[in-house]
Amino acid sequence: LKREKPMKIPDSLIKQIKISDQRLTKQKELVLSVLVSNKDRMLSAQEIMNQIPKTESIDFATVYRNLNAFLEIGIVEQTVDMNGRGLYKIACEADAKNHHHFICLICGKVKAIPCDKRFIGDISEKYGFEESFHTLEIFGKCEECLKKE
Amino acid sequence: LKREKPMKIPDSLIKQIKISDQRLTKQKELVLSVLVSNKDRMLSAQEIMNQIPKTESIDFATVYRNLNAFLEIGIVEQTVDMNGRGLYKIACEADAKNHHHFICLICGKVKAIPCDKRFIGDISEKYGFEESFHTLEIFGKCEECLKKE
DNA sequence: ATAGCTGCAAAGCTTTTGCAATCCA
DNA sequence: TGGATTGCAAAAGCTTTGCAGCTAT
């Protein structure tokens, strides 16, 4: 995956960090910057590390600690890939509570799909379950990659 | 999770192993026996190990090698839990190609849900994706656990 | 000043691999 | 018999943790 040009970190994120009892450090900015610059992609800790300029220094432990800190205050979301590696992305407002992902197997881009509550509700009712939460991920080729073929 | 009483391994499974170039060893029987005795549950390698009688001896490496061997010939399925740990279960015939899971957060039982191709097809079409495969897991309380409340 | 944060090193967990010995077909 | 399989030990990945020093507020 190519390295994206670093983007400015939105004030809203900064604010959410300050509201919590967390401090905004240089290292947190580095991690956030990568996440913001790839906001429609899920990145592993390693990939985040790769996108941090070599002129900056940051430890893997710090990357993980910060990702966990971000998860706690809800500004980052996590999934796990097929091999059990953690993947992270900025939790953008639009993604809100319940949504799913389409993940392009070619370019790696992720698109949020709004959740069809009714569909899941129908299934659960039919089988007598009480749903607490669910996951739905669709893998395939995205519109852009299909065009390029 | 409680240890289940060991069940006889169905002939169909034995046959599938013999058809492939694999050999049926004591260790494979041990692993298969645990999987068969918990056929509606997803187990980690550790849990499988725990259910093997202490009188028997088997190495973790062997458990993993066998699970991978079973995956290859399709008699076992794998998922990954929230922490990235691998979970395994016998792939029962009914589960066939495309199905999903309801996973009870109380008792850990898994029920297969047939896949509604149309639903996924509609979504993909709507957003211009070409679907390759997808995952859908619903977590909550199953009928039995709801009754016990 | 003082919590929180960082780097470093070490440890933890799950899973894989190399190798010599062993077992099944 | 000979290739598949096993146990053991070691290593490999990813992630977490302990600690002493550093930093943001």
Side-chain angles (χ1 to χ4, degrees), chain B residues 18 23-24 45 61 64-65 68 85-86:
Chain B
K18 300 240 163 134
R23 286 176 191 173
L24 186 55
Y64 279 111
R65 273 191 284 234
N68 286 328
R85 211 170 300 127

Side-chain angles (χ1 to χ4, degrees), chain B residues 87-99:
Chain B
L87 298 177
Y88 307 82
K89 77 184 275 294
I90 277 290
C92 49
E93 328 62 38
D95 289 356
K97 274 228 118 52
N98 219 316
H99 69 284

Side-chain angles (χ1 to χ4, degrees), chain A residues 49-67:
Chain A
M49 202 55 153
N50 293 158
Q51 297 216 16
I52 292 176
K54 286 152 201 75
T55 52
E56 307 287 345
S57 100
I58 183 173
D59 193 82
F60 256 113
T62 303
V63 171
Y64 279 112
R65 273 190 284 233
N66 288 344
L67 287 171

Side-chain angles (χ1 to χ4, degrees), chain B residues 1-4 30-52 60 63-64 67 71 76-81 85-90 103 107-110:
Chain B
L1 290 185
K2 67 171 182 291
R3 172 174 298 168
E4 300 290 340
L30 289 170
V31 173
L32 270 184
S33 173
V34 171
L35 292 172
V36 166
S37 309
N38 292 269
K39 65 169 172 307
D40 50 4
R41 211 163 254 162
M42 309 225 61
L43 302 176
S44 65
Q46 177 67 67
E47 288 169 327
I48 292 170
M49 202 56 153
N50 294 156
Q51 296 217 16
I52 292 175
F60 255 112
V63 171
Y64 279 111
L67 286 171
L71 282 172
V76 158
E77 334 175 334
Q78 186 193 23
T79 354
V80 173
D81 75 10
R85 211 170 300 127
L87 298 177
Y88 307 82
K89 77 184 275 294
I90 277 290
I103 297 148
C107 69
K109 280 219 183 80
V110 175

Side-chain angles (χ1 to χ4, degrees), chain A:
Chain A
L1 291 187
K2 68 170 179 291
R3 173 173 301 166
E4 300 292 339
K5 230 172 268 152
M7 270 182 59
K8 191 184 169 306
I9 301 165
D11 289 341
S12 58
L13 288 181
I14 308 277
K15 202 172 293 174
Q16 291 192 66
I17 290 179
K18 300 240 163 133
I19 289 175
S20 72
D21 54 356
Q22 292 186 30
R23 286 179 192 168
L24 186 56
T25 61
K26 181 73 187 149
Q27 289 84 346
K28 280 189 175 156
E29 290 184 283
L30 288 170
V31 173
L32 270 183
S33 172
V34 171
L35 291 172
V36 166
S37 307
N38 293 269
K39 64 170 172 308
D40 51 2
R41 211 163 253 163
M42 310 225 59
L43 301 176
S44 65
Q46 177 66 68
E47 288 169 328
I48 292 170
M49 202 55 153
N50 293 158
Q51 297 216 16
I52 292 176
K54 286 152 201 75
T55 52
E56 307 287 345
S57 100
I58 183 173
D59 193 82
F60 256 113
T62 303
V63 171
Y64 279 112
R65 273 190 284 233
N66 288 344
L67 287 171
N68 285 328
F70 296 156
L71 281 173
E72 246 164 47
I73 59 173
I75 63 176
V76 158
E77 335 176 332
Q78 186 193 24
T79 354
V80 171
D81 74 9
M82 284 189 307
N83 303 308
R85 212 170 302 128
L87 299 177
Y88 307 82
K89 78 185 272 295
I90 276 290
C92 50
E93 330 63 38
D95 289 359
K97 272 228 121 51
N98 219 317
H99 68 282
H100 304 302
H101 292 124
F102 171 82
I103 297 148
C104 180
L105 296 170
I106 310 292
C107 69
K109 280 219 184 78
V110 176
K111 317 224 168 169
I113 302 169
C115 171
D116 184 341
K117 286 273 184 210
R118 199 155 31 92
F119 174 67
I120 302 296
D122 287 352
I123 290 185
S124 301
E125 194 176 333
K126 179 167 170 189
Y127 293 93
F129 308 142
E130 179 184 292
E131 186 241 3
S132 299
F133 62 95
H134 62 272
T135 67
L136 170 60
E137 319 268 331
I138 304 180
F139 298 81
K141 294 183 194 163
C142 72
E143 203 157 14
E144 295 85 57
C145 288
L146 278 172
K147 272 182 200 145
K148 285 184 200 149
E149 287 193 340

